[in-house]
Amino acid sequence: TPEMHAIAQDLLDRFGPLVHFTSGRRTRGQQAEAMAENVIKHGREWLVKTYLDSPIKKALLEWLAVHPGASSLGEMRAGFLVVLERYPDDVICRAFPHIGGEAFDLAPRHGTSGDEMKAHLKQRRDVKLVDEGFCWHVQRRWIPVKHGEGAG
């Protein structure tokens, strides 16, 4: 979106080559794949810890419960995509801000430069920053994110 583009440009103007985008706008298929990758890497509880309660989250968890043997990226991605396809765009975009172009992820930076970048993002009233450990999730403030866990 233009708003997220402006936030990204602000970071590039202030921090230049220190800014490393790892993810931006996603399709439903890309979101399903990102979730599948994270479930494989971090365990099935990752979905519980990461997303706010919603019918979509419940449906994703039900899919996992019905498919306990699903362990490949392709199988899990396909199953998650079937779930995501059940919902209209407005519901999907609120639950997954990357799909609506309302979020991007950054590679975390450590040390003084990283502290300055984090402080800059946190002081912006239009930005919600979630440190997921393996990335910094940046989204427009009006979209809900569960604090302390990933949203990717």
Side-chain angles (χ1 to χ4, degrees):
T1 63
E3 295 84 3
M4 290 307 294
H5 178 81
I7 293 166
Q9 189 61 55
D10 174 56
L11 285 174
L12 290 169
D13 291 346
R14 288 177 183 266
F15 299 101
L18 295 175
V19 179
H20 178 75
F21 297 96
T22 60
S23 182
R25 186 178 205 122
R26 298 178 184 153
T27 64
R28 288 174 192 239
Q30 290 166 331
Q31 181 66 37
E33 186 162 335
M35 291 187 300
E37 287 174 351
N38 282 313
V39 168
I40 290 168
K41 286 180 192 174
H42 306 290
R44 291 172 179 244
E45 289 298 307
W46 177 85
L47 279 172
V48 174
K49 296 176 186 175
T50 300
Y51 295 102
L52 293 170
D53 289 335
S54 72
I56 301 172
K57 176 181 174 179
K58 182 179 178 186
L60 290 166
L61 292 171
E62 287 172 358
W63 187 91
L64 284 171
V66 170
H67 300 88
S71 60
S72 74
L73 179 62
E75 183 179 15
M76 207 172 285
R77 178 197 183 279
F80 288 170
L81 183 56
V82 167
V83 171
L84 296 182
E85 292 293 347
R86 294 181 198 156
Y87 295 90
D89 289 345
D90 63 324
V91 173
I92 286 291
C93 291
R94 292 293 284 176
F96 303 103
H98 283 278
I99 294 175
E102 297 289 351
F104 56 76
D105 293 335
L106 300 170
R109 295 290 178 203
H110 304 287
T112 304
S113 298
D115 292 344
E116 290 173 6
M117 194 181 310
K118 256 185 164 175
H120 176 69
L121 286 166
K122 287 180 178 181
Q123 64 86 27
R124 288 187 62 124
R125 293 177 7 166
D126 60 341
V127 167
K128 180 72 175 171
L129 172 67
V130 179
D131 186 344
E132 298 179 356
F134 57 92
C135 75
W136 294 347
H137 176 83
V138 180
Q139 71 180 55
R140 286 187 53 206
R141 183 168 287 283
W142 63 271
I143 299 173
V145 167
K146 188 172 182 179
H147 293 292
E149 299 295 339

